[in-house]
Amino acid sequence: MRKQTVGQRAWEFLVEKFIFVSGISAIIIVILIFLFLLKEGLGIFKTVGPLQFLGSTAWHPTSKPPDFGILALILGSLAVTVGAAILAVPFGVATAIYIAEVAPPRLRDWLKVIIELIAVIPSVVTGFIGMVVIAPFVAKLFNLQTGLTAFSASIMLALMATPTIVSIAEDAITSVPRSYKEAALALGATHWQAIYRVIVRAAAPGIFAAVMLGIGRVIGETMAVMMITGNSVRIPYTLLQPVRTLTATIAAEMGEAIRGSPHYAALFAIGIVLFVITFTVNFLADLLLHRAEARRQ
Amino acid sequence: MNAHRSEKIAFGLLFAATVVVVAAVLFILGVLIKNGIGAITWEFLTTAPRDGMRAGGIFPAIVGTFYLILGTVVFAVPLGIFAAIYLNEYAADNMLTRLIRLAIINLAGVPSVVYGLFGLGLFVIFLRFGTSILSGALTLSIMNLPIVITATREALSSVPQSFREVSLALGATKWQTIRHVVLPNAIPGILTGVILEVGRAGGETAPILFTVAAFSLPFLPHSIFDQCMALPTHLFAISTEVPNVSLSVRYGTALTLIGVVLFFNLFSIIIRMRLRRRRQW
């Protein structure tokens, strides 16, 4: 009897230790990711200085001597991201408001399922549709030689960012206390006036976080971007030209880069840049959501 | 009067925006089904590609995706569930817990291609697993860990506190309570998360591009240290790298991929709906 209890205690102790290690696994993984990116990527700074890496637009990783400047790639990522945000933010926020405040309950459930469906479509499928349907359409519309442009990619990326924006913004809107709305209505405001003067303002930090997380997704998106942007390394002057993004460069060139070469290190260094950008965006968005929650209580 | 008219206009615009978003989804699904359904035959699903992937079927890619999904479940599900148990049942509201939360949020936001780099650096090169199913499944597991943790945590926290109190009052230890009371009651919710994770793992491309993917491999893998084909990388290859693949083969592959992913997701939505209806507390 007593022996069993000791065994049980030991078992309980082991299980709890295991649970604790699993619990902190997320932290360990984040640190590991960062360490491995640094380990493989920092070597590039033996070949080029950090300023030149970030500030030069010449990316010729396989010519002799090679050039490793990622400014054009950063600008390429920026171009598709801005394009996608211009489309996704108004549509996403409007849809969130419609679902949270206007739609009848039955329709609301259906709309949510349909919007979740977008998040489910694999990015390679989105990219494929962008290539065979959207790009030719854009080429025809603007009379271009190729429709594989930043703009075509922006359209598909906007669609991919929409579910993130809608679901988080909708959460923010529905968690505004009912009493706010009731007070506005009691003062004689119409439902719409209550929405845009009271509810949306109260939900603003959450909506802003939703937009940031949506944009974070766009910056990190790889396959669709690689398939639709046309992949030419140039500074984008308009959205109607082909561009190359940070993510697409890694995915497209890692296969041919020789392990341990400066090219290989440069691609990992691009990974560091992406990691830092998305970490910052997600951290700030979380801070906003946290603050919104704290303020409500 | 004016306020009411502007309300009508505003609601009209909100509705229009929603319609555009919904139409876009239905358009994509419609295009895939209309152009892809003709390509999907028994032969297409059960034979290997021929003619430099321009003809034949996609069987090895389907099998590869199945193996990757299986591997992801084996690694990510236990780890994710235990991590969620820690967060929900053990963790105090302190700095460490905040750090874990931040790490999970950050993991969910790391670009998929960066996971690919990480998998290449850690599993393929450092641990010498090579380009293999094992490396790919581990990479996908890490990428999908946040989904399992978040869903499990939600499921655990929806089990009423009184259930735990009753079990503890009867003399059960904390782990016994979790094992025999909390977990059984949370299983449907956990399952939803697992299935969602499976769907996502099946559709990811960038993380497996340099960790598992074989460009073309007409035979099936024999062990977890073999390379394999997968549906998403196959679609990518025949869309960009192999010239002159007929549009119908590409649509057929895309439709199969989305079919696999949607199957898992609809399954999870149905479980969730049933669960909500049946819950008694």
Side-chain angles (χ1 to χ4, degrees), chain B:
Chain B
M1 188 61 204
N2 228 344
H4 285 284
R5 187 178 297 162
S6 60
E7 174 171 275
K8 256 190 192 152
I9 296 170
F11 283 4
L13 286 175
L14 293 179
F15 180 69
T18 310
V19 167
V20 169
V21 173
V22 170
V25 190
L26 299 181
F27 172 76
I28 289 184
L29 294 179
V31 166
L32 282 172
I33 293 171
K34 180 175 153 265
N35 296 301
I37 200 84
I40 296 185
T41 57
W42 186 245
E43 197 210 343
F44 184 70
L45 295 177
T46 55
T47 61
R50 281 179 285 116
D51 255 358
M53 307 214 272
R54 289 183 192 87
I58 52 171
F59 185 60
I62 295 177
V63 172
T65 287
F66 176 74
Y67 284 151
L68 287 173
I69 287 177
L70 204 67
T72 310
V73 169
V74 168
F75 295 119
V77 170
L79 187 59
I81 290 178
F82 278 107
I85 290 177
Y86 176 75
L87 282 171
N88 201 63
E89 308 291 327
Y90 288 92
D93 190 12
N94 56 20
M95 195 60 196
L96 180 67
T97 310
R98 280 218 65 187
L99 273 180
I100 295 175
R101 251 178 45 90
L102 182 66
I104 293 171
I105 288 162
N106 183 51
L107 277 182
V110 171
S112 55
V113 72
V114 173
Y115 279 104
L117 288 179
F118 173 61
L120 176 67
L122 176 61
F123 302 123
V124 177
I125 298 174
F126 188 74
L127 295 175
R128 297 169 196 275
F129 294 156
T131 328
S132 63
I133 296 177
L134 181 64
S135 299
L138 285 167
T139 310
L140 286 172
S141 305
I142 286 180
M143 173 164 185
N144 287 305
L145 199 59
I147 301 181
V148 182
I149 297 180
T150 314
T152 306
R153 208 184 158 190
E154 219 164 274
L156 292 175
S157 67
S158 74
V159 176
Q161 199 56 35
S162 57
F163 284 29
R164 296 181 183 82
E165 283 157 5
V166 167
S167 166
L168 292 171
L170 288 170
T173 63
K174 184 152 190 167
W175 169 243
Q176 283 171 335
T177 303
I178 293 168
R179 166 77 187 74
H180 296 286
V181 178
V182 181
L183 275 181
N185 280 298
I187 276 182
I190 296 175
L191 220 58
T192 321
V194 171
I195 297 166
L196 274 181
E197 179 235 348
V198 161
R200 235 185 74 164
E204 279 299 339
T205 317
I208 58 173
L209 218 46
F210 357 104
T211 52
V212 259
F215 181 69
S216 171
L217 201 69
F219 47 85
L220 300 178
H222 298 295
S223 88
I224 54 169
F225 292 104
D226 283 350
Q227 300 193 354
C228 72
M229 292 176 79
L231 281 171
T233 43
H234 184 63
L235 176 60
F236 177 66
I238 59 178
S239 295
T240 60
E241 289 165 344
V242 186
N244 304 325
V245 179
S246 80
L247 209 52
S248 105
V249 169
R250 285 148 70 187
Y251 268 115
T253 309
L255 186 61
T256 312
L257 174 58
I258 206 157
V260 170
V261 171
L262 275 186
F263 169 77
F264 285 113
N265 276 276
L266 287 180
F267 199 45
S268 112
I269 289 172
I270 290 168
I271 291 184
R272 200 172 52 191
M273 280 180 171
R274 284 226 167 150
L275 173 77
R276 273 199 200 136
R277 226 173 288 149
R278 216 176 7 166
R279 185 172 294 166
Q280 281 150 13
W281 57 82

Side-chain angles (χ1 to χ4, degrees), chain A residues 30 137 152 162:
Chain A
V30 170
F137 172 75
S152 316
T162 304

Side-chain angles (χ1 to χ4, degrees), chain A residues 40-52:
Chain A
E40 307 280 337
L42 281 184
I44 189 60
F45 298 124
K46 283 182 227 146
T47 314
V48 292
L51 279 182
Q52 204 194 343

Side-chain angles (χ1 to χ4, degrees), chain A residues 9-22:
Chain A
R9 255 191 227 152
W11 175 242
E12 180 109 1
F13 178 80
L14 282 177
V15 168
E16 289 191 352
K17 282 286 161 268
F18 183 72
I19 288 175
F20 177 72
V21 173
S22 308

